[in-house]
Amino acid sequence: MTAFIGVDWGTTNLRAWRIDGHGKIQDTVELPHGVSQLSPGEAPVLFERQVHRPLGSDLPVLMCGMVGSNLGWRAIDYVACPADRSTLAAGVASVRARPPIRIVPGLRCAGIKAASDIMRGEETQILGWIETASTHARGRHIICLPGTHSKWAIVRDGAVERFVTAMTGELFHVLRTHSILAAGTSGFDAAAFAAGVDAAGDGGGLSIRIFSARTRQVADGAAPAETASYLSGLLIGSEIASISSLLDCSAADPITLIAAPVLRERYASALAQRSWSSVWMDGVEAAVAGLQALVRQGVLHDA
Amino acid sequence: MTAFIGVDWGTTNLRAWRIDGHGKIQDTVELPHGVSQLSPGEAPVLFERQVHRPLGSDLPVLMCGMVGSNLGWRAIDYVACPADRSTLAAGVASVRARPPIRIVPGLRCAGIKAASDIMRGEETQILGWIETASTHARGRHIICLPGTHSKWAIVRDGAVERFVTAMTGELFHVLRTHSILAAGTSGFDAAAFAAGVDAAGDGGGLSIRIFSARTRQVADGAAPAETASYLSGLLIGSEIASISSLLDCSAADPITLIAAPVLRERYASALAQRSWSSVWMDGVEAAVAGLQALVRQGVLHDA
């Protein structure tokens, strides 16, 4: 395999790795500089100075994430589902010739009702998971990538067949920061989290159920410090309860969580409380594995 | 009836009316000064100077709303449901003796799962509606009071039997102000609103469905200016779709909307789209009628 620089450049941060010809990570750069903070035209300049030069400016680069949106380096067309390694590789776009700098396309599919659904970055993590075991490339699997905008995907025979997005992390953030539920600290309380997961019920009536985060404090004597944990459980529980009808899956399907450790623990706990089993792959490992798989497919070679 | 000053002092504003012995409104004060903006101890001072003196400081006063919370003049105990005019009158609390200044209690009831539900102010509007026709005081009725925290109540034989709260207005506000859905203007687009009502489906998976407000713009070519109307329809549609299972009612029940004209139109339109019929009473008229009913019950007389 070619030595290269792999990059996951998302909305709020950037991670880059220099990967040698044997697929080993030799060096890492992490910046708290996501595409939402870029001014127009800033991406190439910032990348050259803070990532490419420090990691090796003669190396080719493969990027994934929101860097391929109109907020990032350049908007790269989404690839339609179902999409596997070959489909993704065919959609990789070049933004600089020498050394090559290329960007993995996002995915789109039919979402709820008439709307589409979209992802940028998670497709590379899912591909990374598919590549880690031959069993992952066969049969049907449910993948959950929790986050600001959680993605739930059905993978069938090595291709992303369909997915939906839940704005769970963003809802939590805006409600905790700007709403009547903003009171109290954010320390984690496992019992309040479990009570929130339970209060999610069948996932219906979320706008009604979240008011209970207020009343249990104002009318039922719960400590304000519990509110964040309860709300987190309620939102994650609601996401899990709703997914079966919206994605055609059930508790009989073990869930693969691709996540950082903190979110993995919360989702695994909420899934277990609702009798779903889960396995886990680290989100960074998945991104690196996905980028490597595409490089092995030849996306950094000239056409 | 005694001449008196009626006040609805809510979270974000204050409305006061001087009402004569025949129940006619003689003068009005409106202030953009809700209890959320009060510093501790400020309520009596502000009321005396900006409301009581201008409207007649020798007149007795009956207040309802968040003024009876710990953010307002003084926290008044909630009255438990079922609650009718007599129950509410018995819970009225005095905060000053001469001339009397008294506050209508809020209501509490068993909400979703283990949590309670609460209201302050809407109980007075519901009572006002009950008092306007003898048919309202008999049988079973479903009342909807849309707003920042919408209330849906079952009224049976003149008493509030049970209610639930939907944080629809607050969700709309925080998502429109602070989330990825903040782009675009807020001009009303009836077709986008109707599409949102439709996209609410059965009311399940709200955190998933709201992402469609993003994708229809980013991936499906909808104008950013439509996003607010679509999101409004989606949130109101979800509230309506969820209410039947959470409050044990159905489209066979005509809904009484107690609201200001703009919200009334949106809710009536969304209800009609989902085959529910509705009738309307103005929110200010309802509050005044409720305060008058309690004064006729003698709550401003000394015990």
Side-chain angles (χ1 to χ4, degrees):
Chain A
M1 191 177 74
T2 330
F4 75 105
I5 294 169
V7 182
D8 184 354
W9 199 344
T11 303
T12 56
N13 63 357
L14 176 155
R15 283 198 181 87
W17 310 273
R18 185 171 71 240
I19 296 163
D20 70 14
H22 307 288
K24 273 195 66 179
I25 296 176
Q26 294 184 310
D27 204 356
T28 300
V29 166
E30 289 193 35
L31 299 175
H33 207 112
V35 302
S36 65
Q37 298 146 61
L38 291 173
S39 47
E42 187 188 358
V45 181
L46 183 140
F47 181 76
E48 173 60 26
R49 193 167 45 216
Q50 298 198 48
V51 183
H52 210 177
R53 213 175 298 162
L55 289 180
S57 54
D58 55 333
L59 289 173
V61 178
L62 185 60
M63 301 185 170
C64 68
M66 290 295 284
V67 66
S69 74
N70 59 359
L71 294 175
W73 195 306
R74 200 181 83 200
I76 311 300
D77 283 348
Y78 294 102
V79 166
C81 284
D84 61 9
R85 186 181 51 201
S86 305
T87 333
L88 279 174
V92 168
S94 177
V95 293
R96 185 172 294 177
R98 302 229 176 280
I101 299 181
R102 295 183 179 170
I103 299 180
V104 181
L107 292 186
R108 66 183 296 161
C109 72
I112 310 299
K113 296 261 182 180
S116 297
D117 213 322
I118 51 176
M119 62 166 62
R120 283 199 194 272
E122 295 90 350
E123 73 295 324
T124 305
Q125 296 178 295
I126 296 172
L127 177 62
W129 174 82
I130 291 171
E131 297 283 331
T132 53
S134 60
T135 51
H136 297 174
R138 290 194 300 273
R140 183 173 177 278
H141 307 272
I142 313 290
I143 319 289
C144 169
L145 303 103
T148 303
H149 297 164
S150 297
K151 306 290 179 182
W152 290 73
I154 296 178
V155 171
R156 195 190 298 269
D157 296 333
V160 179
E161 185 177 79
R162 215 196 130 202
F163 61 89
V164 296
T165 302
M167 286 180 62
T168 304
E170 183 153 17
L171 272 175
F172 180 75
H173 176 74
V174 296
L175 288 169
R176 281 297 298 160
T177 312
H178 302 291
S179 85
I180 197 171
L181 304 179
T185 65
S186 303
F188 186 69
D189 182 305
F193 179 83
V197 172
D198 182 56
D202 64 1
L206 180 61
S207 62
I208 296 167
R209 294 180 193 274
I210 55 175
F211 193 62
S212 65
R214 173 74 176 163
T215 55
R216 70 193 293 275
Q217 181 186 325
V218 174
D220 298 333
E226 289 179 12
T227 300
S229 301
Y230 179 84
L231 180 63
S232 174
L234 183 44
L235 292 171
I236 292 173
S238 179
E239 177 184 337
I240 294 169
S242 305
I243 210 68
S244 55
S245 60
L246 291 175
L247 202 63
D248 185 26
C249 54
S250 72
D253 297 302
I255 303 297
T256 296
L257 289 169
I258 300 180
V262 169
L263 275 185
R264 169 244 182 148
E265 276 173 37
R266 291 206 182 183
Y267 274 73
S269 157
L271 284 163
Q273 190 176 331
R274 290 183 164 271
S275 306
W276 295 55
S277 63
S278 62
V279 293
W280 178 62
M281 181 176 191
D282 179 71
V284 169
E285 281 176 37
V288 171
L291 291 166
Q292 288 180 325
L294 289 167
V295 170
R296 282 197 303 273
Q297 184 84 3
V299 301
L300 292 178
H301 297 149
D302 285 323
Chain B
M1 191 179 72
T2 331
F4 76 105
I5 295 171
V7 183
D8 184 353
W9 199 345
T11 302
T12 56
N13 63 356
L14 176 155
R15 283 199 181 86
W17 310 274
R18 184 171 70 239
I19 296 161
D20 70 14
H22 307 288
K24 273 195 65 177
I25 295 175
Q26 294 184 311
D27 204 356
T28 299
V29 166
E30 288 192 37
L31 299 175
H33 207 112
V35 301
S36 66
Q37 299 146 60
L38 290 174
S39 46
E42 188 187 357
V45 182
L46 183 140
F47 181 75
E48 172 60 27
R49 192 165 47 218
Q50 298 197 47
V51 184
H52 210 176
R53 212 175 298 162
L55 289 180
S57 53
D58 55 332
L59 289 173
V61 178
L62 184 61
M63 300 186 171
C64 68
M66 290 296 284
V67 67
S69 75
N70 58 359
L71 294 176
W73 194 305
R74 201 180 84 199
I76 309 300
D77 284 347
Y78 295 103
V79 166
C81 285
D84 61 9
R85 185 180 53 202
S86 304
T87 333
L88 279 174
V92 167
S94 176
V95 293
R96 187 172 293 178
R98 304 231 174 280
I101 299 181
R102 295 181 181 173
I103 300 180
V104 181
L107 292 186
R108 66 183 296 161
C109 72
I112 310 297
K113 297 259 181 181
S116 297
D117 213 321
I118 50 177
M119 63 167 60
R120 284 199 193 273
E122 295 89 352
E123 74 294 325
T124 304
Q125 294 177 296
I126 295 172
L127 176 63
W129 174 82
I130 292 171
E131 298 282 332
T132 52
S134 59
T135 52
H136 297 173
R138 290 193 301 273
R140 183 173 176 278
H141 308 273
I142 313 289
I143 318 290
C144 169
L145 303 103
T148 303
H149 297 165
S150 296
K151 307 290 179 182
W152 290 73
I154 296 177
V155 170
R156 195 188 298 269
D157 297 331
V160 180
E161 185 176 80
R162 216 195 129 202
F163 60 90
V164 295
T165 303
M167 286 179 60
T168 303
E170 183 153 17
L171 272 175
F172 180 75
H173 176 73
V174 296
L175 288 169
R176 282 296 298 159
T177 312
H178 302 290
S179 86
I180 198 170
L181 304 178
T185 65
S186 304
F188 186 69
D189 181 305
F193 179 83
V197 172
D198 183 55
D202 65 2
L206 180 61
S207 62
I208 296 167
R209 294 180 193 275
I210 55 174
F211 193 62
S212 65
R214 173 74 176 164
T215 55
R216 70 193 293 273
Q217 179 186 323
V218 174
D220 299 333
E226 288 180 11
T227 300
S229 301
Y230 178 83
L231 181 63
S232 173
L234 184 43
L235 291 171
I236 292 173
S238 179
E239 177 185 337
I240 294 169
S242 304
I243 209 67
S244 55
S245 60
L246 291 175
L247 202 65
D248 184 27
C249 56
S250 73
D253 298 301
I255 303 296
T256 297
L257 289 169
I258 300 179
V262 170
L263 275 185
R264 171 244 180 147
E265 276 174 37
R266 292 208 181 181
Y267 274 74
S269 157
L271 283 164
Q273 191 175 329
R274 290 183 164 271
S275 306
W276 295 55
S277 64
S278 62
V279 293
W280 178 62
M281 180 175 192
D282 179 71
V284 169
E285 281 176 37
V288 170
L291 291 166
Q292 288 180 323
L294 289 167
V295 169
R296 281 196 305 271
Q297 185 83 2
V299 301
L300 291 178
H301 297 149
D302 285 321

